[in-house]
Amino acid sequence: MGNGVIMRYLSIRNADSLYWVGRYLQRFEIVAKESLKSFDFIIDINFDDGKELFAKMEYNVSYSSAKDFLHKISKDLDNGGLLYNIKHARENAIVLRDIIDDDAFSSINIIYNELILSDTIDPQKLEYLIKELDRFWGLVFFKIVRGKTQAFIEFGQVTEAIDLKLRLFGDFSMILFDLEKLNTLGKILDKDYIPVELRSSDIDTFLDIINSKISSVIKYDS
Amino acid sequence: MVQNSEEFDRFLNIFNQLNKSKFEQLQSFMDDFAINFNLFKDGSFLERSFPFDMIPRIIPKNEFELVEKGLKQRVHALNEFLNDIYGDQKIIKDGIIPAEFIFSSKAYNPAFHGQKVSKNIRTHICGIDLVQNSVNNKWTILEDNLRVPSGASYPLSIRQAYRKVYPEIFEQMKVEKIRYYPNKLKEMMDYVSTGGINIVLTPGRYNSAFYEHAYLAKQTGSTLAISSDLEVMGDKLYLKGYNGKKIQVGAIYRRLDDDFLDPLEFDPKSLIGVPGLINVYRSGNVAIINSVGNGIADDKGIYYFVPQMIKYYLGEDAILDNAPTYLPYFPKDLEYVLANMDKLVIKDVAEAGGYGVLFGYKMTKTEIEDLKKIIIEQPRRFIAQELIEFYDIDCLFDGKLTPRKSDLRCYVVYGEEIYVWPGGLTRYALEEGNYLVNSSQGGGFKDTWVMG
């Protein structure tokens, strides 16, 4: 409080943006990695692999070749493609520039600039962008002193990981570790947090619960 | 004409031996970190990195010492003026400034007459624009900015990059450190705080200088807030914490104009203000930086009177000159202005950011005649200034040093004491012969090195 001591407080808006930075970046990462796998399949194993992948995320994509697939997914600004996700991550990060590490912000910005300025996106370029994202995660999470800033990003990241893994693979055993992590983070952010238990076998119902957990951590109506 | 100095020659000697391939690292730094000064053009928002030039303006130590002394004096007097004009109004009663001249200004806000401010400081952060006259070598004041002067973050950012890319320059030249500016801001905010946290209030992400708002919040340890992050309860202001807690705010460094600060007090359509904020301010429960109503002191018409203010409040002669200025409000000046329009620069006192500035020599006869009519009808609305011959500055275009018009914005922080930042924002026009260097007019910037 004032007079000589630096203390930074997280507003409702800050916490919400941190959460969404984590979600959009996690979605970017999973979509990028799965798109690289599909790229390989499209070449000579299953031409429709890309369509099948994105249908699970409720996106329609059409392409004429593996290269065309990767390009469209990378440049897509409207339907949940890579540019869409990084743009939204960046918008949230911009309003957090007073809070997040400068180098971490620059990683998001570099990915965005590369995607928006490059004429073509090939697998090597995409791999480079994924490495840049790794740099972001490293800069944010591997700090000696960690605080709620990181915890909110991580809460968003793990929420998205659960969401996408269940949508893409439909296998609850793949999210056990993520769920444990989500509950640990929830407790760090809110002492009254009620952990999510893996009871339902209905994915949609379970995802509704997971996706609404942030509302119990951030007191939006206060 | 370009002015050079021994120090500048020394810089060039070092600069010419540098690895030029590393120049690109400076531009990459601006792009990667999105060091932006955004523009609105043709109704669209343009995100763009602030154009910069890597050749710094270099000011010899003895020259800056005089500037520093003059700025301290000027800001001190301007603060006294604001306390007086919203208080006893002695300067009017003593006939130094005509009453009508104050009360006819849109920037004077009578609703704040009698309003006390924390520690009697109103001019917390001032951006004073200067040029160096090429006829007499003197630094001359062009304009005082006592409302929301922007720009300090850009030289701070580029200096940091410069030191990383070319440390050898700073090893060989003794350049004054500018990194303490945020510390001085924080000390000032703590000093005037009424108790609580410090906030930087931004209009939001689409403001031209949003980068700066976030930068200064981060560097001063303040919380960057938009209006919806804040709430007035009773006569206090609070930040709404994510966990439902309300954290009291003691000092608010606002980056929006008075008109938008509080829709209950000013423009009711403002969506970027905080409803009830002015009530908190009136109750003495928050310090607003800079104070409400400061516009009267940087009104272009009031500028004319600053040397007289210095004499009146401090009993001293002004150390730094004003540009020769005429007030059409005075019949004698009006006569001169009307007879010499083609040689003068006419400024609309209500405008800022390079808007409302008309160069007589660029105007047609019809335009001059039309403007004369308006000046005769509304003499208080304009000032006229002689076109000062000031030094150009060398900028690097296509690898060649090329002269450009420029000015220098110096920053003064008024807290427990008055601090003049040993640096500043040098702004330059991108086009040859253009006198308008304002960032909002598309000008670029360069760092300012004061020699130690």
Side-chain angles (χ1 to χ4, degrees):
Chain A
M1 302 283 280
N3 307 329
V5 181
I6 290 184
M7 286 190 76
R8 193 173 266 116
Y9 294 88
L10 289 182
S11 64
I12 294 169
R13 183 181 54 84
N14 292 150
D16 185 65
S17 289
L18 288 164
Y19 169 78
W20 283 105
V21 165
R23 283 201 76 152
Y24 280 115
L25 289 180
Q26 181 61 73
R27 200 180 300 174
F28 177 93
E29 183 176 346
I30 293 178
V31 170
K33 287 179 175 170
E34 291 302 317
S35 295
L36 282 171
K37 281 186 209 161
S38 280
F39 172 85
D40 192 48
F41 273 55
I42 291 167
I43 295 171
D44 55 3
I45 298 171
N46 173 16
F47 183 78
D48 288 334
D49 193 79
K51 288 179 192 166
E52 290 162 13
L53 169 71
F54 280 89
K56 290 175 190 168
M57 293 184 276
E58 296 169 5
Y59 310 139
N60 293 320
V61 59
S62 60
Y63 45 86
S64 58
S65 66
K67 272 188 180 174
D68 187 39
F69 163 74
L70 206 57
H71 184 73
K72 281 186 173 154
I73 288 308
S74 301
K75 291 285 199 176
D76 180 19
L77 197 50
D78 301 317
N79 297 306
L82 294 176
L83 189 51
Y84 173 90
N85 285 311
I86 201 68
K87 179 177 187 281
H88 286 275
R90 181 175 180 269
E91 283 300 312
N92 280 286
I94 283 175
V95 299
L96 294 166
R97 290 196 69 166
D98 59 316
I99 293 172
I100 61 175
D101 180 271
D102 286 338
D103 288 318
F105 172 80
S106 82
S107 283
I108 299 175
N109 199 45
I110 286 168
I111 297 171
Y112 173 77
N113 285 342
E114 286 283 349
L115 277 180
I116 209 149
L117 297 174
S118 297
D119 292 332
T120 55
I121 305 291
D122 56 23
Q124 291 88 342
K125 172 82 82 181
L126 198 48
E127 281 161 1
Y128 158 70
L129 297 182
I130 292 169
K131 280 181 189 156
E132 192 62 46
L133 183 57
D134 286 343
R135 191 170 84 97
F136 173 86
W137 296 130
L139 286 163
V140 169
F141 295 147
F142 297 104
K143 296 253 180 204
I144 294 170
V145 180
R146 296 190 54 177
K148 291 191 173 166
T149 301
Q150 290 98 326
F152 271 111
I153 293 177
E154 215 166 351
F155 196 85
Q157 183 194 31
V158 75
T159 302
E160 188 62 30
I162 292 170
D163 185 300
L164 268 186
K165 283 179 188 175
L166 285 180
R167 283 182 201 280
L168 294 178
F169 310 112
D171 181 356
F172 279 96
S173 69
M174 289 181 78
I175 61 150
L176 293 176
F177 175 73
D178 297 309
L179 191 60
E180 193 181 324
K181 197 169 166 189
L182 185 83
N183 287 333
T184 305
L185 289 163
K187 274 284 175 197
I188 290 169
L189 293 170
D190 175 15
K191 61 181 173 42
D192 299 323
Y193 177 86
I194 300 167
V196 182
E197 292 180 25
L198 194 55
R199 282 186 185 156
S200 173
S201 57
D202 172 29
I203 288 178
D204 287 339
T205 307
F206 184 75
L207 286 182
D208 284 346
I209 295 168
I210 291 292
N211 286 318
S212 64
K213 282 313 279 184
I214 189 64
S215 307
S216 69
V217 174
I218 302 175
K219 314 296 180 202
Y220 288 101
D221 297 328
S222 63
Chain B
M1 193 196 324
V2 178
Q3 190 203 27
N4 287 330
S5 59
E6 274 178 36
E7 288 89 346
F8 188 73
D9 292 342
R10 192 152 163 247
F11 166 80
L12 279 185
N13 283 336
I14 302 168
F15 185 78
N16 288 332
Q17 291 164 33
L18 295 176
N19 177 357
K20 306 288 191 289
S21 66
K22 288 164 83 178
F23 284 1
E24 284 181 6
Q25 289 181 24
L26 289 172
Q27 186 58 54
S28 296
F29 171 81
M30 298 291 285
D31 295 337
D32 291 350
F33 289 83
I35 298 174
N36 293 344
F37 188 89
N38 303 315
L39 289 180
F40 281 94
K41 205 170 183 183
D42 304 326
S44 299
F45 175 71
L46 292 179
E47 201 177 285
R48 59 149 208 176
S49 69
F50 197 171
F52 81 101
D53 181 59
M54 63 181 63
I55 308 293
R57 177 199 289 280
I58 292 180
I59 305 180
K61 185 180 177 168
N62 61 336
E63 262 181 36
F64 195 78
E65 280 172 351
L66 193 67
V67 170
E68 183 183 19
K69 218 171 149 188
L71 291 179
K72 277 187 181 174
Q73 179 196 54
R74 191 172 182 96
V75 168
H76 185 189
L78 285 164
N79 193 65
E80 293 295 308
F81 167 70
L82 282 165
N83 279 328
D84 184 21
I85 223 68
Y86 287 108
D88 296 340
Q89 302 185 333
K90 287 181 187 163
I91 199 164
I92 298 174
K93 289 168 190 160
D94 287 338
I96 309 296
I97 302 179
E100 192 196 332
F101 213 83
I102 299 286
F103 301 136
S104 63
S105 170
K106 285 178 188 165
Y108 171 68
N109 195 330
F112 291 87
H113 188 248
Q115 176 64 47
K116 301 278 183 204
V117 295
S118 177
K119 305 284 198 295
N120 284 326
I121 298 171
R122 294 173 188 264
T123 56
H124 310 87
I125 301 165
C126 306
I128 312 289
D129 297 340
L130 305 101
V131 290
Q132 192 172 17
N133 191 317
S134 62
V135 177
N136 59 17
N137 269 350
K138 285 183 175 179
W139 283 94
T140 305
I141 306 282
L142 276 189
E143 200 168 286
D144 305 295
N145 296 280
L146 309 180
R147 287 176 257 192
V148 193
S150 66
S153 63
Y154 300 100
L156 279 163
S157 300
I158 202 67
R159 177 76 64 91
Q160 184 193 355
Y162 221 123
R163 288 171 64 88
K164 283 182 190 166
V165 177
Y166 293 121
E168 56 269 45
I169 302 182
F170 297 92
E171 284 166 349
Q172 293 175 59
M173 296 184 74
K174 197 177 168 199
V175 182
E176 285 283 354
K177 309 282 182 296
I178 60 172
R179 64 177 66 165
Y180 304 114
Y181 181 73
N183 304 44
K184 293 291 178 185
L185 278 187
K186 184 187 176 328
E187 284 170 18
M188 176 274 289
M189 290 169 89
D190 289 342
Y191 181 65
V192 298
S193 173
T194 56
I197 63 168
N198 297 331
I199 290 280
V200 174
L201 177 65
T202 174
R205 177 252 184 285
Y206 293 104
N207 182 270
S208 303
F210 179 78
Y211 166 76
E212 166 148 310
H213 306 165
Y215 178 92
L216 292 177
K218 183 174 210 159
Q219 298 297 326
T220 58
S222 307
T223 298
L224 183 68
I226 60 172
S227 59
S228 60
D229 297 333
L230 302 170
E231 185 176 19
V232 171
M233 287 164 56
D235 57 3
K236 289 185 177 148
L237 177 69
Y238 296 90
L239 175 78
K240 295 187 276 186
Y242 79 89
N243 50 6
K245 286 185 183 162
K246 313 281 184 197
I247 304 119
Q248 194 180 338
V249 177
I252 185 162
Y253 176 16
R254 50 71 176 258
R255 296 298 303 247
L256 49 160
D257 289 334
D258 285 358
D259 287 347
F260 303 107
L261 260 185
D262 179 350
L264 302 182
E265 182 78 23
F266 300 108
D267 185 346
K269 291 181 195 150
S270 172
L271 299 175
I272 53 177
V274 183
L277 172 61
I278 293 302
N279 185 43
V280 179
Y281 178 61
R282 285 209 166 99
S283 305
N285 289 330
V286 73
I288 295 183
I289 298 161
N290 289 330
S291 292
V292 178
N294 271 15
I296 184 62
D298 67 12
D299 177 302
K300 290 183 174 68
I302 293 297
Y303 161 92
Y304 175 91
F305 295 100
V306 176
Q308 293 162 60
M309 270 179 216
I310 292 170
K311 190 80 180 168
Y312 180 74
Y313 293 116
L314 310 180
E316 299 167 4
D317 290 326
I319 296 167
L320 295 169
D321 289 343
N322 271 9
T325 303
Y326 305 91
L327 294 185
Y329 173 84
F330 296 128
K332 195 178 162 195
D333 283 9
L334 176 64
E335 195 180 318
Y336 179 84
V337 170
L338 296 178
N340 294 280
M341 291 275 284
D342 55 334
K343 297 177 199 135
L344 298 169
V345 184
I346 313 293
K347 295 182 177 177
D348 186 327
V349 298
E351 299 280 358
Y355 295 98
V357 178
L358 299 164
F359 292 88
Y361 74 92
K362 285 186 182 173
M363 296 170 73
T364 63
K365 278 188 178 173
T366 315
E367 286 170 338
I368 286 181
E369 288 310 312
D370 289 346
L371 183 58
K372 277 183 182 176
K373 284 178 200 159
I374 301 173
I375 292 174
I376 292 166
E377 281 169 17
Q378 304 174 57
R380 173 64 179 86
R381 190 179 148 189
F382 297 94
I383 63 165
Q385 290 179 323
E386 302 284 357
L387 191 61
I388 308 173
E389 286 305 322
F390 56 89
Y391 286 115
D392 289 345
I393 197 156
D394 274 326
C395 299
L396 202 63
F397 286 96
D398 299 326
K400 283 183 187 169
L401 290 181
T402 313
R404 285 289 182 272
K405 299 294 175 202
S406 75
D407 74 357
L408 168 65
R409 174 166 289 182
C410 284
Y411 295 86
V412 184
V413 179
Y414 197 150
E416 196 164 5
E417 53 190 32
I418 301 175
Y419 168 77
V420 178
W421 192 35
L425 178 76
T426 290
R427 303 180 297 181
Y428 65 94
L430 294 181
E431 299 86 25
E432 193 177 359
N434 188 354
Y435 279 80
L436 289 179
V437 300
N438 306 65
S439 317
S440 47
Q441 300 280 346
F445 85 97
K446 53 170 72 198
D447 194 4
T448 306
W449 294 3
V450 173
M451 302 313 296

